[in-house]
Amino acid sequence: MNNSIFGESGVQMTILLVLVPILAGLVIAIVKTYGTYKNLIGRRKLHEFEKKMATMSPEEIDQYEQRRKELEYQLPQNELSGNLAASDAKGIINNINKIDEIRVIPHKRSPLAQNYISPELSKLILYFLGFSVLWLLVGTSVGEYLGIKFVAPDVDHQSWLSFGRLRPVHTNLVFWGWSSFAMVGLSYYVIPRVSNVEIFNLKFGYYSLILMNIAVISGSIALMAGMNNAGGEYREYIWPIMGLFAAGIILSLYNYLMTIARRKTEEIYVSNWYIVAAMMYVVVILVVAYLPFWQHGLGETIIQGYYMHQGVGMWFMFLTLGLMYYFLPQQLNRPIYSYSLGILAFWTQILFYTLIGSHHFIFSAIPWWMQTVAIVASVGMVIPVVAGTTNFLLTFKGNWYQLKSSYTLPFYLIGIIFYFTGSMQGTVEAFRYTNLVWHFTDFTVAHSHMTMYGIITFMLWAFIYTLVPRLTGKEPPKIWVGIHFWLALIGLMFYIISLMIGSTEKGLLWMAKKPFIESVVLMAPFWLWRAIGGTMMWISHFIFAYNFYKMVNGRDEIKIPTTPAEVLAAKKKLQNTEFIPIK
């Protein structure tokens, strides 16, 4: 063993991986600061324009009117060209490109609802997303209270508010409530769009929504009442409740399969591969985890590792990646960089991710060969992660300038970066030495937030900010989207870095065989930073909920009139209102 823990490759790689999103955040901050400065200049110009417009003379109005008529004048057909067809016998004129705007400055068009899908399906999707936002607020409010308990453990003495009962309420609400509702709702848009047909059965979607809600509500109440499966992390809901959730998923899976079967396109796009595979896997995972045949001794431990990791990797990660393969190209208005890389990532994730569950139990009584297989498969996960990350980042090629003005692309970029860093950090955490230091510490909590929050949640936010304006024609206030982004990102970095540092020191204390109470005292300041970071994340969720509300109910956008027609329209509108100077 090296004299310093920093000599271990797993620790060195983890430090580098944590630095990557920090550097990315700094770059985005610089770009966004410049964008904010430009926006302030625009507001000042708009204010000056409004003052000038309020004092316009009749002569100036007549001049604008005359100029508007001149610009709108169109030559009668063939007045200048005659009736002869255009000809280029020598082939001199070729490769003509039309440029409507300066390419380095993205033109922000007014939001318009797009009729790609029926209003009825749009309503179903918004219901799914609305409930996902609700469960995000409720679930993370429980998590916020749990974070406070680390700093003030005697804040209450009620059994139904105890840490042991509330912790699974928090994890299951954000798993089966927030993330699952958002993923299924977004899939109801992607599946018919890619298949170029309407959804097979709208009622099945509502039945699925109802069953999943009943499962989440009844499961949370049961956990707070002390009724649980007692089978391990993330499967605390008792089997009848989880059966309702599975039934809802099966209904939507059938809906998706029938829609794809009726598709008007020959190929099945890779997004549908990921989405349908994830829906199938989660049903299989739940059946395997709740059947009683192997729930004894080491068998139960192995199944727990399988369930816990497949739930994250083959349900949340798999389906979210499928959504990314649709929404990222759509948002950038260009195709995915490489379809082949997407297929490579798809099959290699199925191959390796299904084998890594036992890496949670290194140095346990599980057979040594099984632990080794899990470690090797964890290293194998480098293939799909690098393939997917490369594919997404190269899709950005030629479009990085859009980060300056887009409020959705920073969410995409950070989600992609965490996809790489979080997944790779999970690989190095499976190494035997790093597992020896970090197992049973808060490091696994930091890692789970680095992945489930940094990857899944940031990506889902990106997709929601992309899709909802397309369904409603209304956008959120950009300033509040920016506040949401930075609170969530900075809060997450406070959260995971503090826990990673404290947990490393805790693990070293345990390895040195120090009294357990010393590690508890050691963690006090790190738990405080965890609470601070968690509070910032929690506040950002309420801002996101406000932004979602505005996307459904609309907002006013600052637009400076430029053409004579727009100037005259603005003048006419101003004549009906009293101009009040901005102080």
Side-chain angles (χ1 to χ4, degrees):
M1 185 182 298
N2 294 328
N3 294 328
S4 172
I5 190 173
F6 296 106
E8 294 294 328
S9 59
V11 177
Q12 294 170 350
M13 292 175 66
T14 297
I15 294 172
L16 291 175
L17 291 169
V18 171
L19 289 176
V20 170
I22 295 176
L23 294 175
L26 290 175
V27 172
I28 295 174
I30 294 171
V31 173
K32 286 293 183 181
T33 300
Y34 176 72
T36 302
Y37 168 76
K38 297 287 288 185
N39 186 53
L40 291 174
I41 297 299
R43 288 175 178 271
R44 182 177 298 175
K45 290 181 179 179
L46 176 62
H47 175 56
E48 295 297 327
F49 174 81
E50 288 176 341
K51 290 198 298 183
K52 178 181 177 182
M53 197 167 52
T55 59
M56 284 177 62
S57 66
E59 291 76 14
E60 289 177 309
I61 296 176
D62 291 339
Q63 290 176 3
Y64 273 109
E65 183 66 36
Q66 178 64 28
R67 186 57 180 156
R68 181 186 65 81
K69 292 178 180 180
E70 293 171 356
L71 292 175
E72 292 177 355
Y73 173 76
Q74 294 182 350
L75 288 171
Q77 187 176 12
N78 299 329
E79 181 174 318
L80 297 180
S81 63
N83 296 320
L84 297 177
S87 177
D88 182 26
K90 301 296 184 182
I92 297 175
I93 302 176
N94 57 68
N95 193 27
I96 301 300
N97 293 316
K98 181 181 179 182
I99 300 178
D100 294 324
E101 59 188 53
I102 302 176
R103 292 296 176 88
V104 297
I105 303 176
H107 178 65
K108 185 67 175 178
R109 294 175 176 84
S110 299
L112 295 173
Q114 300 179 3
N115 299 320
Y116 293 142
I117 59 176
S118 66
E120 293 78 17
L121 181 55
S122 294
K123 185 177 180 181
L124 173 64
I125 294 169
L126 291 175
Y127 267 122
F128 266 104
L129 298 182
F131 276 109
S132 74
V133 174
L134 171 65
W135 297 129
L136 174 67
L137 295 181
V138 176
T140 55
S141 293
V142 175
E144 170 70 8
Y145 188 62
L146 292 173
I148 293 173
K149 282 200 164 193
F150 275 94
V151 181
D154 293 328
V155 67
D156 73 75
H157 298 281
Q158 302 295 326
S159 60
W160 55 280
L161 291 178
S162 63
F163 187 92
R165 295 190 187 183
L166 284 184
R167 203 269 177 169
V169 171
H170 162 65
T171 56
N172 284 276
L173 274 174
V174 295
F175 270 42
W176 310 120
W178 150 243
S179 301
S180 297
F181 274 75
M183 293 190 307
V184 174
L186 292 164
S187 299
Y188 267 102
Y189 178 83
V190 174
I191 293 287
R193 282 287 295 122
V194 173
S195 303
N196 201 24
V197 293
E198 190 57 58
I199 197 71
F200 173 69
N201 191 311
L202 204 61
K203 288 185 178 179
F204 284 175
Y206 281 101
Y207 295 154
S208 178
L209 178 70
I210 293 170
L211 287 171
M212 292 170 66
N213 265 313
I214 292 175
V216 170
I217 294 171
S218 57
S220 300
I221 295 173
L223 289 176
M224 294 183 73
M227 185 185 304
N228 59 71
N229 184 51
E233 196 171 23
Y234 309 142
R235 56 171 172 165
E236 291 90 352
Y237 286 171
I238 58 177
W239 70 263
I241 292 175
M242 213 62 209
L244 291 174
F245 185 89
I249 294 295
I250 291 172
L251 276 175
S252 286
L253 173 60
Y254 177 74
N255 221 359
Y256 297 163
L257 289 173
M258 293 303 294
T259 302
I260 295 172
R262 296 164 58 246
R263 70 188 184 278
K264 294 181 180 179
T265 54
E266 182 179 355
E267 300 291 338
I268 300 177
Y269 183 59
V270 67
S271 285
N272 285 0
W273 287 41
Y274 276 90
I275 293 170
V276 170
M279 300 286 281
M280 296 170 67
Y281 262 103
V282 73
V283 175
V284 171
I285 293 164
L286 292 175
V287 171
V288 170
Y290 280 84
L291 285 177
F293 311 136
W294 38 66
Q295 306 295 331
H296 306 285
L298 287 181
E300 195 276 338
T301 302
I302 295 170
I303 292 300
Q304 171 59 27
Y306 169 82
Y307 168 82
M308 179 169 51
H309 231 85
Q310 302 323 298
V312 173
M314 301 307 295
W315 169 233
F316 298 110
M317 191 74 73
F318 221 42
L319 203 153
T320 303
L321 289 176
L323 296 172
M324 178 65 81
Y325 274 101
Y326 176 82
F327 282 109
L328 180 62
Q330 183 192 63
Q331 187 68 0
L332 293 175
N333 195 27
R334 59 177 300 166
I336 194 71
Y337 173 76
S338 171
Y339 198 86
S340 298
L341 279 176
I343 300 302
L344 172 66
F346 177 86
W347 288 112
T348 51
Q349 180 152 336
I350 289 177
L351 173 63
F352 292 116
Y353 216 113
T354 51
L355 299 174
I356 67 177
S358 296
H359 77 197
H360 285 270
F361 304 106
I362 305 299
F363 300 113
S364 70
I366 291 176
W368 191 259
W369 67 266
M370 185 175 289
Q371 300 178 34
T372 303
V373 167
I375 295 172
V376 172
S378 299
V379 176
M381 276 301 297
V382 171
I383 297 174
V385 170
V386 171
T389 304
T390 301
N391 214 3
F392 298 144
L393 291 180
L394 288 179
T395 304
F396 266 95
K397 185 178 180 180
N399 289 272
W400 292 105
Y401 70 90
Q402 293 191 36
L403 281 171
K404 181 176 66 175
S405 58
S406 173
Y407 60 79
T408 57
L409 288 180
F411 287 94
Y412 282 95
L413 182 59
I414 289 297
I416 293 167
I417 289 174
F418 271 116
Y419 172 55
F420 176 77
T421 58
S423 300
M424 294 293 288
Q425 194 275 314
T427 293
V428 301
E429 195 174 344
F431 296 168
R432 284 196 166 94
Y433 178 81
T434 50
N435 204 282
L436 183 64
V437 176
W438 292 330
H439 195 49
F440 294 123
T441 71
D442 297 58
F443 199 99
T444 53
V445 179
H447 171 69
S448 65
H449 282 76
M450 192 176 185
T451 53
M452 279 300 298
Y453 197 90
I455 305 172
I456 307 301
T457 297
F458 267 87
M459 286 187 179
L460 290 177
W461 281 334
F463 306 151
I464 291 172
Y465 279 130
T466 297
L467 176 60
V468 176
R470 285 171 165 78
L471 298 180
T472 63
K474 303 165 186 175
E475 296 192 68
K478 288 186 180 181
I479 182 64
W480 288 108
V481 177
I483 293 173
H484 166 211
F485 174 82
W486 289 113
L487 273 177
L489 178 59
I490 296 173
L492 176 61
M493 299 312 298
F494 282 173
Y495 191 105
I496 64 176
I497 292 176
S498 62
L499 287 186
M500 285 180 173
I501 296 173
S503 299
T504 302
E505 294 186 19
K506 177 194 284 189
L508 292 175
L509 277 180
W510 290 353
M511 292 173 67
K513 299 181 180 180
K514 297 294 183 179
F516 179 79
I517 190 63
E518 286 190 23
S519 66
V520 177
V521 175
L522 166 76
M523 287 300 296
F526 300 104
W527 283 334
L528 176 61
W529 277 106
R530 165 195 172 133
I532 293 172
T535 300
M536 295 174 68
M537 296 154 65
W538 178 60
I539 293 173
S540 78
H541 302 160
F542 284 89
I543 297 174
F544 167 62
Y546 169 76
N547 291 338
F548 181 81
Y549 170 81
K550 296 295 288 185
M551 285 188 288
V552 175
N553 289 275
R555 74 176 184 91
D556 295 327
E557 183 177 351
I558 297 175
K559 181 175 174 61
I560 302 175
T562 54
T563 66
E566 291 174 343
V567 171
L568 292 171
K571 176 62 177 177
K572 183 177 180 181
K573 181 179 178 181
L574 189 64
Q575 288 174 345
N576 299 325
T577 60
E578 181 181 357
F579 179 73
I580 302 176
I582 300 175
K583 296 181 180 179

